Amino acid sequence: IWTRLAPQPMQDDAGLDPVALTVRWELTEEGGTSPVQSGTVEALPQWAHSVRVELKGLRPHRVYRYRFLCAGAISPQGRFRTAPAPDQAQSLRLVFASCQQYEQGFFGAWRHAVADAPDLVAFLGDYIYESSWGRNHVRKHDAGVPQTLEAYRRRHALYRSDPDLQAAHAACAWLPTWDDHEVENDYANDLSERGTPSDRFLLRRAAAYQAYFEHMPLPWSMAPKGPSMPIFGTLDWGAMVRLHLIDIRQY
Protein backbone atom coordinates (compact mmCIF):
# COMPACT_ATOMS: atom_id res chain seq x y z
CA ILE A 1 0.00 0.00 0.00
CA TRP A 2 1.24 3.47 -0.89
CA THR A 3 0.74 7.14 -0.20
CA ARG A 4 2.66 10.40 -0.44
CA LEU A 5 2.54 13.36 1.94
CA ALA A 6 2.24 16.47 -0.20
CA PRO A 7 0.06 19.34 1.11
CA GLN A 8 1.38 21.59 -1.70
CA PRO A 9 2.28 19.03 -4.40
CA MET A 10 3.19 21.53 -7.12
CA GLN A 11 5.90 23.14 -4.99
CA ASP A 12 9.42 21.73 -5.09
CA ASP A 13 9.22 20.87 -1.38
CA ALA A 14 5.52 19.86 -1.59
CA GLY A 15 4.91 22.22 1.33
CA LEU A 16 6.92 20.14 3.82
CA ASP A 17 10.16 20.66 5.72
CA PRO A 18 13.01 18.29 4.77
CA VAL A 19 12.56 16.08 7.84
CA ALA A 20 11.25 12.56 8.36
CA LEU A 21 7.58 12.30 9.36
CA THR A 22 5.95 9.37 11.15
CA VAL A 23 2.91 7.94 9.37
CA ARG A 24 0.50 5.45 10.92
CA TRP A 25 -1.23 2.92 8.69
CA GLU A 26 -4.30 0.79 9.43
CA LEU A 27 -5.66 -2.22 7.58
CA THR A 28 -9.22 -3.51 8.03
CA GLU A 29 -11.12 -6.37 6.40
CA GLU A 30 -14.07 -5.10 4.41
CA GLY A 31 -17.08 -4.97 6.68
CA GLY A 32 -14.92 -4.93 9.81
CA THR A 33 -14.53 -2.04 12.21
CA SER A 34 -11.22 -2.76 13.94
CA PRO A 35 -7.83 -2.90 12.21
CA VAL A 36 -6.46 -6.39 11.63
CA GLN A 37 -2.99 -4.92 11.11
CA SER A 38 -1.49 -1.52 11.85
CA GLY A 39 1.87 0.11 12.30
CA THR A 40 4.02 3.15 11.68
CA VAL A 41 6.49 3.99 8.94
CA GLU A 42 8.80 6.93 8.27
CA ALA A 43 8.09 9.21 5.32
CA LEU A 44 11.55 10.40 4.26
CA PRO A 45 12.27 13.65 2.41
CA GLN A 46 14.78 11.96 0.08
CA TRP A 47 11.86 9.92 -1.27
CA ALA A 48 9.50 12.92 -1.52
CA HIS A 49 7.80 11.83 1.73
CA SER A 50 6.29 8.84 -0.08
CA VAL A 51 5.28 5.81 1.97
CA ARG A 52 4.99 2.14 1.03
CA VAL A 53 4.09 -0.74 3.32
CA GLU A 54 4.62 -4.32 2.14
CA LEU A 55 1.90 -6.32 3.87
CA LYS A 56 2.22 -9.96 4.90
CA GLY A 57 -0.03 -12.59 6.46
CA LEU A 58 -3.22 -11.61 4.62
CA ARG A 59 -6.03 -14.05 3.90
CA PRO A 60 -6.43 -15.13 0.25
CA HIS A 61 -9.15 -13.66 -1.94
CA ARG A 62 -10.31 -11.17 0.69
CA VAL A 63 -11.11 -7.49 0.35
CA TYR A 64 -9.20 -5.17 2.64
CA ARG A 65 -9.38 -1.43 3.24
CA TYR A 66 -6.55 0.78 4.42
CA ARG A 67 -5.77 4.35 5.40
CA PHE A 68 -2.86 6.51 6.53
CA LEU A 69 -2.73 9.04 9.37
CA CYS A 70 -0.13 11.76 9.95
CA ALA A 71 -0.09 14.99 12.00
CA GLY A 72 -3.87 15.05 12.34
CA ALA A 73 -4.53 14.36 8.64
CA ILE A 74 -6.32 11.17 7.55
CA SER A 75 -6.15 9.83 4.02
CA PRO A 76 -9.18 8.61 2.09
CA GLN A 77 -9.63 4.84 2.33
CA GLY A 78 -8.03 2.59 -0.22
CA ARG A 79 -9.29 -0.87 -1.15
CA PHE A 80 -7.78 -4.03 -2.63
CA ARG A 81 -8.53 -7.72 -3.01
CA THR A 82 -5.82 -10.28 -2.30
CA ALA A 83 -5.09 -13.01 -4.83
CA PRO A 84 -6.73 -16.43 -4.41
CA ALA A 85 -4.82 -19.29 -2.82
CA PRO A 86 -2.46 -21.11 -5.23
CA ASP A 87 -4.89 -24.03 -5.70
CA GLN A 88 -7.96 -21.83 -6.28
CA ALA A 89 -9.29 -20.74 -9.68
CA GLN A 90 -11.32 -17.62 -8.99
CA SER A 91 -12.43 -15.03 -11.54
CA LEU A 92 -10.23 -12.01 -12.22
CA ARG A 93 -11.64 -8.64 -13.27
CA LEU A 94 -8.61 -6.96 -14.82
CA VAL A 95 -8.15 -3.46 -16.25
CA PHE A 96 -5.38 -2.85 -18.80
CA ALA A 97 -4.49 0.81 -19.27
CA SER A 98 -1.74 2.95 -20.78
CA CYS A 99 -0.94 6.24 -22.49
CA GLN A 100 -2.83 8.78 -20.39
CA GLN A 101 -1.82 12.18 -21.79
CA TYR A 102 -3.13 14.79 -19.34
CA GLU A 103 -3.61 17.54 -21.94
CA GLN A 104 -5.43 15.46 -24.55
CA GLY A 105 -8.50 14.56 -22.50
CA PHE A 106 -10.01 14.19 -19.07
CA PHE A 107 -9.64 10.81 -17.36
CA GLY A 108 -13.31 9.85 -17.44
CA ALA A 109 -12.42 6.31 -18.52
CA TRP A 110 -11.11 5.74 -15.00
CA ARG A 111 -14.55 6.60 -13.61
CA HIS A 112 -16.06 3.80 -15.69
CA ALA A 113 -13.26 1.41 -14.73
CA VAL A 114 -13.91 2.04 -11.02
CA ALA A 115 -17.64 1.46 -11.54
CA ASP A 116 -16.79 -2.02 -12.89
CA ALA A 117 -15.20 -2.94 -9.52
CA PRO A 118 -11.88 -4.31 -10.87
CA ASP A 119 -9.65 -6.64 -8.88
CA LEU A 120 -6.45 -5.33 -10.44
CA VAL A 121 -5.12 -2.61 -12.77
CA ALA A 122 -2.19 -3.52 -15.01
CA PHE A 123 -0.76 -0.21 -16.23
CA LEU A 124 1.41 -0.77 -19.30
CA GLY A 125 3.29 2.50 -19.51
CA ASP A 126 3.16 6.22 -20.32
CA TYR A 127 1.65 7.06 -16.93
CA ILE A 128 2.87 10.60 -17.52
CA TYR A 129 3.94 12.42 -20.67
CA GLU A 130 7.05 14.54 -20.52
CA SER A 131 6.14 16.50 -23.65
CA SER A 132 3.24 18.53 -24.94
CA TRP A 133 1.79 17.87 -28.38
CA GLY A 134 -1.37 18.38 -30.40
CA ARG A 135 -3.99 21.11 -30.34
CA ASN A 136 -7.22 21.91 -28.54
CA HIS A 137 -5.89 20.82 -25.15
CA VAL A 138 -8.56 20.43 -22.49
CA ARG A 139 -6.00 21.29 -19.77
CA LYS A 140 -2.30 22.09 -19.60
CA HIS A 141 0.86 20.55 -18.23
CA ASP A 142 2.88 22.58 -15.77
CA ALA A 143 5.49 24.65 -17.59
CA GLY A 144 8.30 23.07 -19.54
CA VAL A 145 9.65 19.59 -20.25
CA PRO A 146 10.95 17.97 -17.05
CA GLN A 147 14.68 17.46 -16.79
CA THR A 148 15.24 17.38 -13.02
CA LEU A 149 13.94 15.33 -10.11
CA GLU A 150 11.84 18.25 -8.86
CA ALA A 151 10.28 18.75 -12.30
CA TYR A 152 9.41 15.05 -12.70
CA ARG A 153 7.90 15.05 -9.22
CA ARG A 154 5.68 17.99 -10.18
CA ARG A 155 4.58 16.22 -13.38
CA HIS A 156 3.58 13.11 -11.45
CA ALA A 157 1.83 15.24 -8.84
CA LEU A 158 -0.13 17.01 -11.58
CA TYR A 159 -1.39 13.72 -13.01
CA ARG A 160 -2.19 12.43 -9.53
CA SER A 161 -4.33 15.53 -8.92
CA ASP A 162 -6.98 14.14 -11.30
CA PRO A 163 -9.88 12.91 -9.11
CA ASP A 164 -10.80 9.99 -11.38
CA LEU A 165 -7.22 8.73 -11.40
CA GLN A 166 -7.10 9.07 -7.62
CA ALA A 167 -10.29 7.02 -7.34
CA ALA A 168 -8.82 4.30 -9.58
CA HIS A 169 -5.76 4.00 -7.35
CA ALA A 170 -7.99 3.75 -4.30
CA ALA A 171 -10.29 1.14 -5.86
CA CYS A 172 -7.91 -1.81 -6.23
CA ALA A 173 -4.32 -2.99 -6.42
CA TRP A 174 -2.10 -1.83 -9.29
CA LEU A 175 0.67 -3.61 -11.20
CA PRO A 176 2.59 -0.82 -13.01
CA THR A 177 5.43 -0.74 -15.48
CA TRP A 178 6.62 1.96 -17.86
CA ASP A 179 7.13 2.71 -21.53
CA ASP A 180 9.05 5.74 -22.80
CA HIS A 181 7.25 8.96 -21.85
CA GLU A 182 7.97 8.44 -18.15
CA VAL A 183 11.44 9.71 -19.19
CA GLU A 184 11.51 10.86 -22.83
CA ASN A 185 9.79 9.87 -26.05
CA ASP A 186 11.48 6.92 -27.78
CA TYR A 187 14.47 6.67 -25.44
CA ALA A 188 16.19 3.30 -25.10
CA ASN A 189 18.79 2.48 -22.48
CA ASP A 190 21.16 5.50 -22.47
CA LEU A 191 20.10 6.73 -25.92
CA SER A 192 18.07 9.93 -26.01
CA GLU A 193 15.68 10.75 -28.84
CA ARG A 194 17.40 14.13 -29.16
CA GLY A 195 20.97 12.90 -29.14
CA THR A 196 21.76 14.13 -25.64
CA PRO A 197 25.19 12.86 -24.53
CA SER A 198 24.79 9.65 -22.57
CA ASP A 199 26.26 10.97 -19.33
CA ARG A 200 23.79 13.88 -19.25
CA PHE A 201 20.87 11.72 -20.32
CA LEU A 202 21.56 9.17 -17.58
CA LEU A 203 21.29 11.95 -14.99
CA ARG A 204 17.87 12.83 -16.39
CA ARG A 205 16.87 9.16 -16.48
CA ALA A 206 17.88 8.75 -12.83
CA ALA A 207 15.65 11.70 -11.90
CA ALA A 208 12.71 10.31 -13.88
CA TYR A 209 13.11 6.82 -12.44
CA GLN A 210 13.21 8.10 -8.87
CA ALA A 211 10.09 10.24 -9.33
CA TYR A 212 8.32 7.27 -10.92
CA PHE A 213 9.20 5.00 -8.00
CA GLU A 214 8.11 7.64 -5.50
CA HIS A 215 4.64 7.77 -7.07
CA MET A 216 4.01 4.09 -7.79
CA PRO A 217 3.03 1.19 -5.48
CA LEU A 218 6.22 -0.77 -6.17
CA PRO A 219 8.20 -2.71 -3.54
CA TRP A 220 11.45 -1.46 -2.05
CA SER A 221 13.27 -4.24 -3.90
CA MET A 222 12.64 -2.25 -7.10
CA ALA A 223 13.91 1.07 -5.73
CA PRO A 224 16.15 2.81 -8.30
CA LYS A 225 19.90 3.01 -7.89
CA GLY A 226 20.79 6.07 -9.92
CA PRO A 227 19.78 5.44 -13.54
CA SER A 228 19.21 1.72 -12.90
CA MET A 229 15.75 0.45 -12.01
CA PRO A 230 14.83 -2.85 -13.68
CA ILE A 231 11.20 -3.85 -13.27
CA PHE A 232 10.72 -7.62 -13.46
CA GLY A 233 8.44 -10.02 -11.63
CA THR A 234 5.42 -12.29 -11.77
CA LEU A 235 2.04 -12.27 -10.07
CA ASP A 236 -0.08 -15.40 -9.75
CA TRP A 237 -3.85 -15.03 -9.41
CA GLY A 238 -4.49 -18.41 -7.83
CA ALA A 239 -4.32 -21.29 -10.28
CA MET A 240 -5.90 -19.23 -13.03
CA VAL A 241 -3.53 -16.52 -14.28
CA ARG A 242 0.17 -15.70 -14.16
CA LEU A 243 1.04 -12.11 -15.06
CA HIS A 244 4.61 -11.26 -16.08
CA LEU A 245 5.84 -7.77 -15.26
CA ILE A 246 8.63 -6.67 -17.61
CA ASP A 247 10.61 -3.53 -18.37
CA ILE A 248 11.12 -2.94 -22.10
CA ARG A 249 13.09 0.30 -21.93
CA GLN A 250 16.20 -0.51 -19.90
CA TYR A 251 18.40 -3.08 -21.56
PDB file of all heavy atoms in Angstrom, residues 7-34:
ATOM      1  N   PRO A   7       1.116  18.337   0.980  1.00  0.00           N
ATOM      2  CA  PRO A   7       0.060  19.340   1.110  1.00  0.00           C
ATOM      3  C   PRO A   7       0.084  20.393   0.005  1.00  0.00           C
ATOM      4  O   PRO A   7      -0.961  20.961  -0.328  1.00  0.00           O
ATOM      5  CB  PRO A   7       0.323  19.962   2.485  1.00  0.00           C
ATOM      6  CG  PRO A   7       1.728  19.603   2.826  1.00  0.00           C
ATOM      7  CD  PRO A   7       2.010  18.306   2.143  1.00  0.00           C
ATOM      8  N   GLN A   8       1.257  20.660  -0.573  1.00  0.00           N
ATOM      9  CA  GLN A   8       1.377  21.589  -1.704  1.00  0.00           C
ATOM     10  C   GLN A   8       2.159  20.877  -2.812  1.00  0.00           C
ATOM     11  O   GLN A   8       3.331  21.145  -3.044  1.00  0.00           O
ATOM     12  CB  GLN A   8       2.097  22.877  -1.272  1.00  0.00           C
ATOM     13  CG  GLN A   8       1.422  23.647  -0.158  1.00  0.00           C
ATOM     14  CD  GLN A   8       0.082  24.232  -0.601  1.00  0.00           C
ATOM     15  OE1 GLN A   8      -0.115  24.538  -1.775  1.00  0.00           O
ATOM     16  NE2 GLN A   8      -0.841  24.370   0.341  1.00  0.00           N
ATOM     17  N   PRO A   9       1.532  19.933  -3.524  1.00  0.00           N
ATOM     18  CA  PRO A   9       2.284  19.031  -4.398  1.00  0.00           C
ATOM     19  C   PRO A   9       2.994  19.698  -5.569  1.00  0.00           C
ATOM     20  O   PRO A   9       3.949  19.136  -6.099  1.00  0.00           O
ATOM     21  CB  PRO A   9       1.213  18.044  -4.890  1.00  0.00           C
ATOM     22  CG  PRO A   9      -0.083  18.754  -4.695  1.00  0.00           C
ATOM     23  CD  PRO A   9       0.097  19.613  -3.495  1.00  0.00           C
ATOM     24  N   MET A  10       2.557  20.894  -5.982  1.00  0.00           N
ATOM     25  CA  MET A  10       3.194  21.533  -7.123  1.00  0.00           C
ATOM     26  C   MET A  10       4.372  22.416  -6.718  1.00  0.00           C
ATOM     27  O   MET A  10       4.992  23.039  -7.574  1.00  0.00           O
ATOM     28  CB  MET A  10       2.161  22.346  -7.914  1.00  0.00           C
ATOM     29  CG  MET A  10       1.037  21.495  -8.493  1.00  0.00           C
ATOM     30  SD  MET A  10       1.622  20.058  -9.442  1.00  0.00           S
ATOM     31  CE  MET A  10       2.417  20.875 -10.825  1.00  0.00           C
ATOM     32  N   GLN A  11       4.690  22.482  -5.445  1.00  0.00           N
ATOM     33  CA  GLN A  11       5.900  23.142  -4.992  1.00  0.00           C
ATOM     34  C   GLN A  11       7.046  22.135  -4.959  1.00  0.00           C
ATOM     35  O   GLN A  11       6.843  20.939  -4.775  1.00  0.00           O
ATOM     36  CB  GLN A  11       5.708  23.740  -3.600  1.00  0.00           C
ATOM     37  CG  GLN A  11       4.692  24.867  -3.531  1.00  0.00           C
ATOM     38  CD  GLN A  11       4.590  25.448  -2.130  1.00  0.00           C
ATOM     39  OE1 GLN A  11       5.432  25.187  -1.271  1.00  0.00           O
ATOM     40  NE2 GLN A  11       3.566  26.242  -1.907  1.00  0.00           N
ATOM     41  N   ASP A  12       8.271  22.637  -5.097  1.00  0.00           N
ATOM     42  CA  ASP A  12       9.423  21.733  -5.094  1.00  0.00           C
ATOM     43  C   ASP A  12       9.529  20.953  -3.792  1.00  0.00           C
ATOM     44  O   ASP A  12       9.938  19.792  -3.786  1.00  0.00           O
ATOM     45  CB  ASP A  12      10.711  22.519  -5.330  1.00  0.00           C
ATOM     46  CG  ASP A  12      10.894  22.903  -6.797  1.00  0.00           C
ATOM     47  OD1 ASP A  12      10.096  22.422  -7.637  1.00  0.00           O
ATOM     48  OD2 ASP A  12      11.828  23.669  -7.096  1.00  0.00           O
ATOM     49  N   ASP A  13       9.159  21.580  -2.657  1.00  0.00           N
ATOM     50  CA  ASP A  13       9.223  20.874  -1.375  1.00  0.00           C
ATOM     51  C   ASP A  13       7.889  20.270  -0.970  1.00  0.00           C
ATOM     52  O   ASP A  13       7.761  19.706   0.122  1.00  0.00           O
ATOM     53  CB  ASP A  13       9.727  21.803  -0.272  1.00  0.00           C
ATOM     54  CG  ASP A  13       8.814  23.026  -0.049  1.00  0.00           C
ATOM     55  OD1 ASP A  13       7.753  23.118  -0.712  1.00  0.00           O
ATOM     56  OD2 ASP A  13       9.173  23.872   0.787  1.00  0.00           O
ATOM     57  N   ALA A  14       6.881  20.377  -1.846  1.00  0.00           N
ATOM     58  CA  ALA A  14       5.523  19.858  -1.591  1.00  0.00           C
ATOM     59  C   ALA A  14       4.910  20.435  -0.323  1.00  0.00           C
ATOM     60  O   ALA A  14       3.975  19.867   0.240  1.00  0.00           O
ATOM     61  CB  ALA A  14       5.507  18.338  -1.537  1.00  0.00           C
ATOM     62  N   GLY A  15       5.451  21.573   0.143  1.00  0.00           N
ATOM     63  CA  GLY A  15       4.908  22.220   1.331  1.00  0.00           C
ATOM     64  C   GLY A  15       5.362  21.611   2.639  1.00  0.00           C
ATOM     65  O   GLY A  15       4.757  21.881   3.679  1.00  0.00           O
ATOM     66  N   LEU A  16       6.439  20.813   2.610  1.00  0.00           N
ATOM     67  CA  LEU A  16       6.921  20.135   3.823  1.00  0.00           C
ATOM     68  C   LEU A  16       8.386  20.482   4.084  1.00  0.00           C
ATOM     69  O   LEU A  16       9.169  20.683   3.149  1.00  0.00           O
ATOM     70  CB  LEU A  16       6.783  18.616   3.676  1.00  0.00           C
ATOM     71  CG  LEU A  16       5.358  18.068   3.573  1.00  0.00           C
ATOM     72  CD1 LEU A  16       5.406  16.586   3.245  1.00  0.00           C
ATOM     73  CD2 LEU A  16       4.588  18.306   4.866  1.00  0.00           C
ATOM     74  N   ASP A  17       8.758  20.513   5.354  1.00  0.00           N
ATOM     75  CA  ASP A  17      10.164  20.659   5.720  1.00  0.00           C
ATOM     76  C   ASP A  17      10.924  19.377   5.400  1.00  0.00           C
ATOM     77  O   ASP A  17      10.330  18.282   5.398  1.00  0.00           O
ATOM     78  CB  ASP A  17      10.290  20.966   7.218  1.00  0.00           C
ATOM     79  CG  ASP A  17       9.717  22.329   7.584  1.00  0.00           C
ATOM     80  OD1 ASP A  17       9.763  23.233   6.724  1.00  0.00           O
ATOM     81  OD2 ASP A  17       9.222  22.476   8.720  1.00  0.00           O
ATOM     82  N   PRO A  18      12.223  19.481   5.136  1.00  0.00           N
ATOM     83  CA  PRO A  18      13.009  18.288   4.772  1.00  0.00           C
ATOM     84  C   PRO A  18      13.381  17.435   5.979  1.00  0.00           C
ATOM     85  O   PRO A  18      14.553  17.233   6.297  1.00  0.00           O
ATOM     86  CB  PRO A  18      14.244  18.894   4.107  1.00  0.00           C
ATOM     87  CG  PRO A  18      14.411  20.219   4.766  1.00  0.00           C
ATOM     88  CD  PRO A  18      13.015  20.723   5.027  1.00  0.00           C
ATOM     89  N   VAL A  19      12.365  16.939   6.663  1.00  0.00           N
ATOM     90  CA  VAL A  19      12.563  16.078   7.836  1.00  0.00           C
ATOM     91  C   VAL A  19      11.686  14.844   7.689  1.00  0.00           C
ATOM     92  O   VAL A  19      10.672  14.861   6.971  1.00  0.00           O
ATOM     93  CB  VAL A  19      12.215  16.822   9.146  1.00  0.00           C
ATOM     94  CG1 VAL A  19      13.143  18.009   9.347  1.00  0.00           C
ATOM     95  CG2 VAL A  19      10.754  17.265   9.157  1.00  0.00           C
ATOM     96  N   ALA A  20      12.056  13.774   8.367  1.00  0.00           N
ATOM     97  CA  ALA A  20      11.248  12.559   8.363  1.00  0.00           C
ATOM     98  C   ALA A  20       9.966  12.786   9.164  1.00  0.00           C
ATOM     99  O   ALA A  20       9.972  13.468  10.191  1.00  0.00           O
ATOM    100  CB  ALA A  20      12.034  11.397   8.943  1.00  0.00           C
ATOM    101  N   LEU A  21       8.874  12.210   8.688  1.00  0.00           N
ATOM    102  CA  LEU A  21       7.585  12.297   9.365  1.00  0.00           C
ATOM    103  C   LEU A  21       7.065  10.885   9.623  1.00  0.00           C
ATOM    104  O   LEU A  21       7.180  10.009   8.761  1.00  0.00           O
ATOM    105  CB  LEU A  21       6.579  13.075   8.518  1.00  0.00           C
ATOM    106  CG  LEU A  21       6.925  14.545   8.245  1.00  0.00           C
ATOM    107  CD1 LEU A  21       5.971  15.139   7.221  1.00  0.00           C
ATOM    108  CD2 LEU A  21       6.885  15.344   9.537  1.00  0.00           C
ATOM    109  N   THR A  22       6.491  10.679  10.788  1.00  0.00           N
ATOM    110  CA  THR A  22       5.955   9.366  11.146  1.00  0.00           C
ATOM    111  C   THR A  22       4.517   9.246  10.668  1.00  0.00           C
ATOM    112  O   THR A  22       3.681  10.106  10.944  1.00  0.00           O
ATOM    113  CB  THR A  22       6.017   9.151  12.667  1.00  0.00           C
ATOM    114  OG1 THR A  22       7.380   9.227  13.088  1.00  0.00           O
ATOM    115  CG2 THR A  22       5.455   7.786  13.045  1.00  0.00           C
ATOM    116  N   VAL A  23       4.241   8.192   9.928  1.00  0.00           N
ATOM    117  CA  VAL A  23       2.915   7.937   9.367  1.00  0.00           C
ATOM    118  C   VAL A  23       2.377   6.631   9.954  1.00  0.00           C
ATOM    119  O   VAL A  23       3.077   5.611   9.962  1.00  0.00           O
ATOM    120  CB  VAL A  23       2.970   7.833   7.829  1.00  0.00           C
ATOM    121  CG1 VAL A  23       1.590   7.539   7.257  1.00  0.00           C
ATOM    122  CG2 VAL A  23       3.541   9.113   7.228  1.00  0.00           C
ATOM    123  N   ARG A  24       1.157   6.666  10.444  1.00  0.00           N
ATOM    124  CA  ARG A  24       0.495   5.447  10.924  1.00  0.00           C
ATOM    125  C   ARG A  24      -0.370   4.887   9.807  1.00  0.00           C
ATOM    126  O   ARG A  24      -1.012   5.632   9.063  1.00  0.00           O
ATOM    127  CB  ARG A  24      -0.378   5.749  12.151  1.00  0.00           C
ATOM    128  CG  ARG A  24      -1.136   4.527  12.670  1.00  0.00           C
ATOM    129  CD  ARG A  24      -1.904   4.808  13.946  1.00  0.00           C
ATOM    130  NE  ARG A  24      -2.753   3.697  14.334  1.00  0.00           N
ATOM    131  CZ  ARG A  24      -2.324   2.617  14.973  1.00  0.00           C
ATOM    132  NH1 ARG A  24      -1.054   2.515  15.287  1.00  0.00           N
ATOM    133  NH2 ARG A  24      -3.168   1.643  15.298  1.00  0.00           N
ATOM    134  N   TRP A  25      -0.365   3.577   9.662  1.00  0.00           N
ATOM    135  CA  TRP A  25      -1.233   2.920   8.690  1.00  0.00           C
ATOM    136  C   TRP A  25      -2.124   1.909   9.402  1.00  0.00           C
ATOM    137  O   TRP A  25      -1.754   1.334  10.417  1.00  0.00           O
ATOM    138  CB  TRP A  25      -0.421   2.234   7.587  1.00  0.00           C
ATOM    139  CG  TRP A  25       0.566   1.218   8.074  1.00  0.00           C
ATOM    140  CD1 TRP A  25       1.866   1.427   8.451  1.00  0.00           C
ATOM    141  CD2 TRP A  25       0.336  -0.192   8.259  1.00  0.00           C
ATOM    142  NE1 TRP A  25       2.456   0.253   8.853  1.00  0.00           N
ATOM    143  CE2 TRP A  25       1.539  -0.757   8.742  1.00  0.00           C
ATOM    144  CE3 TRP A  25      -0.770  -1.016   8.050  1.00  0.00           C
ATOM    145  CZ2 TRP A  25       1.664  -2.124   9.019  1.00  0.00           C
ATOM    146  CZ3 TRP A  25      -0.646  -2.373   8.331  1.00  0.00           C
ATOM    147  CH2 TRP A  25       0.548  -2.910   8.804  1.00  0.00           C
ATOM    148  N   GLU A  26      -3.326   1.726   8.857  1.00  0.00           N
ATOM    149  CA  GLU A  26      -4.300   0.794   9.433  1.00  0.00           C
ATOM    150  C   GLU A  26      -4.946  -0.014   8.318  1.00  0.00           C
ATOM    151  O   GLU A  26      -5.305   0.535   7.270  1.00  0.00           O
ATOM    152  CB  GLU A  26      -5.379   1.546  10.202  1.00  0.00           C
ATOM    153  CG  GLU A  26      -4.862   2.297  11.417  1.00  0.00           C
ATOM    154  CD  GLU A  26      -5.937   3.074  12.155  1.00  0.00           C
ATOM    155  OE1 GLU A  26      -7.049   3.232  11.584  1.00  0.00           O
ATOM    156  OE2 GLU A  26      -5.672   3.533  13.281  1.00  0.00           O
ATOM    157  N   LEU A  27      -5.070  -1.296   8.541  1.00  0.00           N
ATOM    158  CA  LEU A  27      -5.661  -2.224   7.576  1.00  0.00           C
ATOM    159  C   LEU A  27      -6.847  -2.925   8.212  1.00  0.00           C
ATOM    160  O   LEU A  27      -6.747  -3.473   9.314  1.00  0.00           O
ATOM    161  CB  LEU A  27      -4.615  -3.256   7.149  1.00  0.00           C
ATOM    162  CG  LEU A  27      -5.041  -4.256   6.077  1.00  0.00           C
ATOM    163  CD1 LEU A  27      -5.096  -3.579   4.720  1.00  0.00           C
ATOM    164  CD2 LEU A  27      -4.065  -5.442   6.048  1.00  0.00           C
ATOM    165  N   THR A  28      -7.983  -2.927   7.519  1.00  0.00           N
ATOM    166  CA  THR A  28      -9.220  -3.505   8.026  1.00  0.00           C
ATOM    167  C   THR A  28      -9.828  -4.403   6.967  1.00  0.00           C
ATOM    168  O   THR A  28      -9.813  -4.074   5.784  1.00  0.00           O
ATOM    169  CB  THR A  28     -10.233  -2.394   8.386  1.00  0.00           C
ATOM    170  OG1 THR A  28      -9.613  -1.460   9.266  1.00  0.00           O
ATOM    171  CG2 THR A  28     -11.466  -2.965   9.049  1.00  0.00           C
ATOM    172  N   GLU A  29     -10.359  -5.566   7.355  1.00  0.00           N
ATOM    173  CA  GLU A  29     -11.122  -6.373   6.396  1.00  0.00           C
ATOM    174  C   GLU A  29     -12.420  -5.660   6.067  1.00  0.00           C
ATOM    175  O   GLU A  29     -13.022  -5.019   6.926  1.00  0.00           O
ATOM    176  CB  GLU A  29     -11.410  -7.759   6.966  1.00  0.00           C
ATOM    177  CG  GLU A  29     -10.232  -8.710   6.870  1.00  0.00           C
ATOM    178  CD  GLU A  29     -10.670 -10.169   6.864  1.00  0.00           C
ATOM    179  OE1 GLU A  29     -11.640 -10.508   6.146  1.00  0.00           O
ATOM    180  OE2 GLU A  29     -10.038 -10.967   7.582  1.00  0.00           O
ATOM    181  N   GLU A  30     -12.833  -5.777   4.813  1.00  0.00           N
ATOM    182  CA  GLU A  30     -14.066  -5.101   4.408  1.00  0.00           C
ATOM    183  C   GLU A  30     -15.232  -5.603   5.271  1.00  0.00           C
ATOM    184  O   GLU A  30     -15.424  -6.796   5.449  1.00  0.00           O
ATOM    185  CB  GLU A  30     -14.364  -5.357   2.928  1.00  0.00           C
ATOM    186  CG  GLU A  30     -15.504  -4.505   2.414  1.00  0.00           C
ATOM    187  CD  GLU A  30     -15.573  -4.478   0.899  1.00  0.00           C
ATOM    188  OE1 GLU A  30     -15.759  -5.569   0.312  1.00  0.00           O
ATOM    189  OE2 GLU A  30     -15.447  -3.404   0.315  1.00  0.00           O
ATOM    190  N   GLY A  31     -15.981  -4.643   5.794  1.00  0.00           N
ATOM    191  CA  GLY A  31     -17.078  -4.972   6.681  1.00  0.00           C
ATOM    192  C   GLY A  31     -16.685  -4.965   8.141  1.00  0.00           C
ATOM    193  O   GLY A  31     -17.553  -4.959   9.023  1.00  0.00           O
ATOM    194  N   GLY A  32     -15.382  -4.965   8.426  1.00  0.00           N
ATOM    195  CA  GLY A  32     -14.915  -4.927   9.807  1.00  0.00           C
ATOM    196  C   GLY A  32     -14.794  -3.496  10.308  1.00  0.00           C
ATOM    197  O   GLY A  32     -14.816  -2.534   9.539  1.00  0.00           O
ATOM    198  N   THR A  33     -14.643  -3.364  11.601  1.00  0.00           N
ATOM    199  CA  THR A  33     -14.534  -2.039  12.212  1.00  0.00           C
ATOM    200  C   THR A  33     -13.198  -1.819  12.901  1.00  0.00           C
ATOM    201  O   THR A  33     -12.804  -0.671  13.116  1.00  0.00           O
ATOM    202  CB  THR A  33     -15.668  -1.828  13.244  1.00  0.00           C
ATOM    203  OG1 THR A  33     -15.614  -2.878  14.226  1.00  0.00           O
ATOM    204  CG2 THR A  33     -17.023  -1.842  12.554  1.00  0.00           C
ATOM    205  N   SER A  34     -12.501  -2.877  13.248  1.00  0.00           N
ATOM    206  CA  SER A  34     -11.222  -2.757  13.940  1.00  0.00           C
ATOM    207  C   SER A  34     -10.090  -3.200  13.020  1.00  0.00           C
ATOM    208  O   SER A  34     -10.232  -4.175  12.267  1.00  0.00           O
ATOM    209  CB  SER A  34     -11.207  -3.613  15.203  1.00  0.00           C
ATOM    210  OG  SER A  34     -12.226  -3.203  16.100  1.00  0.00           O
TER     211      SER A  34
END
